[in-house]
Amino acid sequence: MGKHRRPGPPNQPSRAVPRVDADDPLAAYDKRRRPPMDVHRRHRPLHGGGGHLRPDEPRALEEWNGFSYEPAGTTANLAEAQRWVNEQTTGGPAEEHRNSD
């Protein structure tokens, strides 16, 4: 058995790829519209570096628009950025942290 061989019987399809719905003509393209690792909102330090470093520096907020991440505003620190990211799952208002610029 080779080092890179997929476990399981060779006559079964891989379970790593979701099945494509034969009735949906656009099913093959749905995977491209999902955000990487299903993260719809994310934050990054404005001046680069690791996200966990310098928690008092401002953060850029980004939202997935179905094709790529687009800027959604800024926050003053890491704690506010994490609250904004978690608002999506709790259903809280997302408008309070957005920039009007």
Side-chain angles (χ1 to χ4, degrees):
M1 176 146 72
K3 179 178 171 184
H4 299 287
R5 188 177 156 142
R6 179 180 61 83
N11 62 347
Q12 291 183 357
S14 173
R15 290 170 286 187
V17 179
R19 302 257 187 251
V20 175
D21 185 12
D23 297 332
D24 185 10
L26 299 177
Y29 302 100
D30 285 341
K31 183 178 179 184
R32 294 183 192 171
R33 298 196 55 87
R34 285 195 322 247
M37 299 188 331
D38 291 329
V39 176
H40 294 275
R41 287 181 168 183
R42 69 181 183 184
H43 60 85
R44 295 177 171 218
L46 280 180
H47 305 294
H52 63 287
L53 301 175
R54 301 184 299 275
D56 295 331
E57 289 189 2
R59 308 287 168 170
L61 306 175
E62 299 175 336
E63 274 189 301
W64 184 257
N65 66 3
F67 180 70
S68 65
Y69 286 102
E70 61 184 13
T74 59
T75 61
N77 56 34
L78 176 61
E80 287 182 24
Q82 289 173 337
R83 273 195 299 273
W84 179 79
V85 168
N86 292 330
E87 282 177 356
Q88 180 185 18
T89 53
T90 61
E95 299 298 322
E96 66 187 57
H97 291 290
R98 290 187 179 225
N99 267 352
S100 59
D101 297 332

